[in-house]
Amino acid sequence: MVKKKVFNLVRPYEPAGDQPTAISQLTKGVKNGKRHQTLLGATGTGKTYTIANVIQNTGKATLVIAHNKTLAAQLAAEFREFFPNNEVHYFVSYYDFYQPEAYVAITDTFIEKEAQVNQEIDRLRHASTQALLTKKDVIVVASVSAIYGLGSPDEYARVILDLKVGGTYTRATLVRELVEMYFTRVAGDLLAGTFRALGNTIEIMPANEEVIFRLHFEGTTITNIERLDPITRAIQNKEVQVDIFPAKHFVTPDEVKDQALKDIEVELKERLSILRRSGKELDAERLNRRTRQDIAMIKEIGYCNGIENYSKHFDRRKSGEPPHTLISYFPKKDDGTPDFLTVIDESHVTLPQIAGMQAGDRSRKDTLVEFGFRLPSARDNRPLNFEEFEERIGEAIYVSATPSKYELEHSSDDSCSLHTDYKQKQHAQIHEEQVGKHPAACSVIEQIIRPTGLVDPEVSVRPVVSSESYTGQVKDFIEEAQKVTKNGARSLVTVLTKKMAEDLAEYLEESGINAKYIHSDIKTVERIGILTDFRRGEFDVLVGVNLLREGLDLPEVELVGILDADKEGFLRSDTALIQTIGRAARNVNGRVILYADNVTGSMERALNETSRRRARQVAHNKKHGITPQSIKKAITDISSQFTKSHTKAVNKMVEIDTATVTTKAGRKKLVTQKRKQMLEAAKNLDFETAALLRDEVKVLEAALST
């Protein structure tokens, strides 16, 4: 009997180039329980597709970690294309803005916590954890938010409401249980994590998806469960049974909450005694006042601002014990060891990021504790440290074009000298020399031949400073970018600071070039939208700093300019230069210009490595008669996963109406009709339809005024 596959990979093409060998070796390694493997893959060689094949072959739930939200969103979109019939989810920090509380002792300045939560991302986080607890075919693409504290999966799963047609529930009991699961009762529009009770019905919008479940009661029996569209309120389906998960990840039973509050009181008494014995009366008074206020709030409403600082007590953890995280929700074997695959994308950046999170958090917390702003237990509200992260993940595959010391050392044993001379040579050169000598020991799998036959771009070096015969780096780039734009392609240019990115984008616009900038201050959704617009050709030149390096898939890019390439440092290291050069490797006409007055060591190593790969790729093409072709990839608006259904519905209505009514006079008449329909809907208390019509009228009026 053939075992049914857990994952169903939709293959747009068969593996080619280096992919078949990489897929085979990585699959074998995972099945043999190898804890560490490295996929050394050049840009554009189809690393994501290789990983997708490994996921299907191994059948393991998979955690993919990327180092920023934009890259995570792109990877999630790609995996959804490969696995349209499986569960692919996106898990990142749900803050659009986050300022943690902090104290600056030298100026006696306390900074209050300030946060703006993105409700759509919060919904996606709930969808991730619920899928992990109920399904086997789950891929979660996450940022380093995966190592930060999350509620206990056992408590989260313990209070799931199993609602069935024919089930016995009094209306009052169900309302009380929903409140205990942190749902909010409302009288108006439903949002995620809210419900309303109307007569003999209760309507619930769960935290994980935009849908309404309407429950009908006759006495104490649920007689009917309907799935409603949240905008049109049309019935989508009749359900026999639905599971309602808690509206928050942190779920605390009453008996645990009572004991936690007692423990907080005990800790407060002990800490006050220590502060007063040290003569810190002001700090003791501050701590007593703040903590007692928090305790009162928790007793009264079950919550206080900064409640996460007491998570140790609510989780019943000992001091120093790691918190529950997203990783806690992934499957385990009977002996408690991890039973899932972990993929670290752009590992040379992501691993150091994971390793540095806990130290920075601890430093800030120590100051808060020392000066009486928080109890010592606040230190236990923290991300995992690197050792804890290592212990909690299963078989790991590190994906990078430029793997660092950690990946190389852990993907080989002492018989393989990859880790002993990695500083002296390029990573890939070392691998190429050693893999033949120690094939069993070395788990660094190289993938530099592209299925499309594309070779690494040609790289030239030009001066920074202007001269009598040369215009300087900025004007030279403008001239080159204009040539590319005439060919219908796009250009990237990287600079050293956010201010330089903004100034250069403005200068390019003044020079007649349609340009935009992108950097870490741009919000997640807007950042993704800019990249999508760039691919669509709505502007021609994208200016960036560090976000243009790893992983961004932009096959329309024909030219990459690296300004001030000889400024040695993090952004101009050999790793950074190789990664940035790779942005031009998805286009058959791709080329790169390094602007530098001196050839640094980093530049020399990057140029040598690019030449080595290019030579091997050209030889492969010649041997197999391959003609290079640019990567053809559909432009998917990955920001659409964050767009509210209301906005989608309005846009669809506008699209249909403007296609039907083409004249300006006809559209004016249409606006008048829509206004009447809006007022009629409001008169009939159908506020959902009224809101849709109101927003459609706004869009139509804006279009008429242009």
Side-chain angles (χ1 to χ4, degrees):
M1 180 178 176
V2 179
K3 185 178 179 181
K4 185 179 179 182
K5 290 183 178 179
V6 176
F7 291 94
N8 179 24
L9 172 62
V10 174
R11 287 188 167 187
Y13 44 81
E14 288 299 312
D18 282 345
Q19 289 176 335
T21 301
I23 292 166
S24 174
Q25 291 181 346
L26 290 169
T27 300
K28 183 178 178 182
V30 173
K31 289 184 175 180
N32 289 340
K34 277 194 175 182
R35 287 298 308 275
H36 307 277
Q37 297 186 89
T38 297
L39 176 60
L40 196 160
T43 299
T45 57
K47 298 187 289 292
T48 305
Y49 184 54
T50 294
I51 294 299
N53 277 273
V54 174
I55 291 172
Q56 176 176 257
N57 293 346
T58 59
K60 286 178 172 282
T62 302
L63 169 63
V64 181
I65 303 182
H67 63 88
N68 65 53
K69 293 180 178 181
T70 307
L71 180 53
Q74 178 174 297
L75 286 169
E78 289 178 354
F79 278 117
R80 281 174 181 158
E81 289 177 8
F82 291 140
F83 297 105
N85 303 314
N86 299 112
E87 297 283 336
V88 179
H89 293 277
Y90 178 72
F91 188 98
V92 298
S93 168
Y94 54 23
Y95 294 117
D96 277 336
F97 171 78
Y98 181 68
Q99 170 61 60
E101 64 179 1
Y103 178 65
V104 183
I106 195 169
T107 59
D108 189 28
T109 304
F110 176 69
I111 302 168
E112 290 277 4
K113 173 185 170 182
E114 213 176 326
Q116 183 178 349
V117 174
N118 185 311
Q119 297 298 332
E120 287 300 293
I121 294 180
D122 188 31
R123 178 179 63 78
L124 295 172
R125 286 164 64 94
H126 278 280
S128 300
T129 52
Q130 292 180 26
L132 286 168
L133 293 177
T134 58
K135 307 282 179 64
K136 291 184 178 180
D137 59 330
V138 182
I139 300 168
V140 179
V141 184
S143 66
V144 293
S145 182
I147 69 168
Y148 277 79
L150 203 62
S152 163
D154 294 333
E155 291 297 337
Y156 184 69
R158 190 178 66 84
V159 293
I160 298 172
L161 266 179
D162 180 15
L163 302 174
K164 299 177 181 178
V165 172
T168 302
Y169 259 105
T170 68
R171 184 173 170 278
T173 300
L174 183 54
V175 166
R176 185 170 62 252
E177 290 202 22
L178 287 169
V179 171
E180 289 174 354
M181 293 169 64
Y182 305 103
F183 278 80
T184 303
R185 184 172 182 174
V186 296
D189 290 344
L190 289 172
L191 300 173
T194 64
F195 75 97
R196 62 185 169 202
L198 304 167
N200 64 343
T201 66
I202 291 180
E203 295 182 345
I204 306 167
M205 181 176 282
N208 66 313
E209 60 179 326
E210 289 188 314
V211 67
I212 295 172
F213 292 113
R214 179 193 284 158
L215 282 66
H216 295 267
F217 286 82
E218 284 187 10
T220 60
T221 302
I222 299 175
T223 58
N224 195 10
I225 301 176
E226 297 167 337
R227 174 189 286 262
L228 307 181
D229 183 286
I231 304 302
T232 65
R233 299 187 63 78
I235 297 175
Q236 296 178 331
N237 199 13
K238 299 272 189 177
E239 304 289 347
V240 176
Q241 180 265 341
V242 294
D243 289 330
I244 304 295
F245 282 74
K248 295 185 183 297
H249 281 109
F250 293 91
V251 178
T252 307
D254 287 340
E255 62 274 14
V256 174
K257 183 177 76 173
D258 294 340
Q259 186 57 52
L261 290 173
K262 290 178 183 177
D263 291 347
I264 294 170
E265 294 268 13
V266 171
E267 186 187 11
L268 174 62
K269 185 177 179 181
E270 292 173 352
R271 182 60 182 164
L272 291 176
S273 176
I274 292 171
L275 289 173
R276 284 167 178 153
R277 284 202 308 269
S278 302
K280 296 184 175 182
E281 197 62 44
L282 178 62
D283 296 337
E285 177 57 31
R286 177 191 294 133
L287 181 64
N288 187 49
R289 175 174 48 81
R290 286 172 60 89
T291 309
R292 298 244 171 246
Q293 182 179 7
D294 286 347
I295 291 172
M297 288 288 288
I298 295 169
K299 284 181 177 177
E300 289 298 319
I301 63 173
Y303 178 81
C304 75
N305 189 29
I307 193 172
E308 64 274 7
N309 289 291
Y310 305 106
S311 61
K312 168 196 158 184
H313 297 294
F314 290 106
D315 288 346
R316 314 311 295 154
R317 287 185 279 128
K318 295 178 182 177
S319 293
E321 280 189 350
H324 295 291
T325 66
L326 172 67
I327 297 171
S328 307
Y329 287 74
F330 276 83
K332 297 178 179 64
K333 298 176 184 175
D334 292 339
D335 61 1
T337 57
D339 190 21
F340 62 95
L341 176 63
T342 304
V343 177
I344 311 294
D345 195 63
E346 303 297 349
S347 57
H348 63 285
V349 178
T350 307
L351 288 173
Q353 192 179 71
I354 292 170
M357 291 292 115
Q358 199 265 336
D361 182 81
R362 179 60 182 256
S363 176
R364 180 175 58 84
K365 296 279 178 55
D366 282 345
T367 303
L368 291 169
V369 170
E370 180 184 352
F371 291 94
F373 289 93
R374 285 294 171 195
L375 291 171
S377 57
R379 295 188 181 106
D380 290 295
N381 167 43
R382 60 174 178 83
L384 298 176
N385 62 41
F386 195 71
E387 290 72 25
E388 292 165 344
F389 171 75
E390 284 183 302
E391 291 170 2
R392 283 160 177 74
I393 62 172
E395 292 84 5
I397 298 175
Y398 310 111
V399 181
S400 174
T402 52
S404 63
K405 179 181 178 181
Y406 177 91
E407 297 97 291
L408 294 176
E409 285 189 341
H410 285 73
S411 298
S412 60
D413 66 15
D414 292 338
S415 67
C416 182
S417 60
L418 273 169
H419 61 286
T420 62
D421 57 357
Y422 80 98
K423 289 183 179 179
Q424 283 71 43
K425 298 181 181 179
Q426 287 297 304
H427 308 135
Q429 287 175 305
I430 300 166
H431 166 67
E432 195 170 68
E433 294 169 8
Q434 297 299 328
V435 72
K437 299 176 185 177
H438 309 288
C442 188
S443 295
V444 181
I445 293 94
E446 193 172 57
Q447 182 175 302
I448 65 170
I449 303 298
R450 298 181 177 89
T452 56
L454 279 172
V455 299
D456 275 29
E458 292 184 349
V459 184
S460 60
V461 180
R462 298 185 186 180
V464 172
V465 180
S466 61
S467 62
E468 289 183 6
S469 59
Y470 180 67
T471 58
Q473 62 178 356
V474 173
K475 289 188 177 179
D476 182 77
F477 174 77
I478 289 174
E479 291 174 7
E480 295 296 334
Q482 287 172 333
K483 296 175 187 174
V484 169
T485 301
K486 285 180 181 178
N487 292 334
R490 317 287 182 271
S491 302
L492 290 179
V493 57
T494 67
V495 294
L496 291 170
T497 67
K498 289 185 273 192
K499 182 68 166 61
M500 290 171 69
E502 295 171 7
D503 290 346
L504 180 57
E506 183 179 351
Y507 183 78
L508 291 171
E509 286 283 349
E510 290 172 355
S511 302
I513 292 177
N514 196 353
K516 287 188 179 181
Y517 67 84
I518 187 171
H519 55 59
S520 58
D521 286 349
I522 306 294
K523 288 183 179 180
T524 305
V525 176
E526 185 181 351
R527 202 182 307 164
I528 295 168
I530 289 171
L531 291 171
T532 304
D533 290 346
F534 181 55
R535 289 199 62 202
R536 286 174 174 159
E538 295 187 19
F539 62 98
D540 303 311
V541 178
L542 181 60
V543 186
V545 187
N546 197 28
L547 289 174
L548 298 185
R549 279 180 33 205
E550 289 88 359
L552 294 184
D553 189 354
L554 306 168
E556 295 77 17
V557 170
E558 193 172 291
L559 172 67
V560 172
I562 304 176
L563 304 191
D564 301 305
D566 54 358
K567 299 294 188 292
E568 280 274 25
F570 171 68
L571 293 177
R572 297 295 181 262
S573 66
D574 55 338
T575 296
L577 290 172
I578 291 170
Q579 291 285 348
T580 310
I581 288 169
R583 296 317 101 207
R586 289 179 167 86
N587 191 297
V588 71
N589 298 315
R591 57 193 178 95
V592 179
I593 303 173
L594 303 182
Y595 291 97
D597 291 323
N598 303 291
V599 177
T600 64
S602 293
M603 286 177 61
E604 185 176 4
R605 289 189 292 274
L607 289 168
N608 288 342
E609 174 61 7
T610 302
S611 296
R612 184 193 76 84
R613 295 181 183 182
R614 184 178 170 86
R616 183 176 161 188
Q617 292 155 353
V618 169
H620 176 85
N621 289 348
K622 186 176 180 180
K623 179 180 178 180
H624 297 279
I626 297 172
T627 302
Q629 297 178 357
S630 294
I631 290 175
K632 303 294 183 184
K633 187 169 184 180
I635 300 174
T636 304
D637 187 359
I638 54 180
S639 64
S640 64
Q641 59 189 297
F642 309 120
T643 306
K644 287 185 177 295
S645 295
H646 179 89
T647 306
K648 292 179 186 176
V650 171
N651 291 341
K652 189 66 178 176
M653 289 166 63
V654 171
E655 181 184 339
I656 293 169
D657 286 335
T658 52
T660 306
V661 183
T662 56
T663 65
K664 193 169 184 177
R667 288 180 181 177
K668 284 183 178 179
K669 187 176 180 180
L670 178 65
V671 168
T672 303
Q673 292 172 347
K674 294 288 180 181
R675 283 179 186 273
K676 289 180 179 178
Q677 292 171 10
M678 177 185 71
L679 294 172
E680 187 66 22
K683 183 179 178 181
N684 295 331
L685 306 181
D686 185 359
F687 298 113
E688 290 84 359
T689 302
L692 272 173
L693 291 164
R694 176 202 63 199
D695 291 342
E696 188 189 10
V697 165
K698 287 181 181 178
V699 174
L700 291 169
E701 285 181 331
L704 285 169
S705 64
T706 57

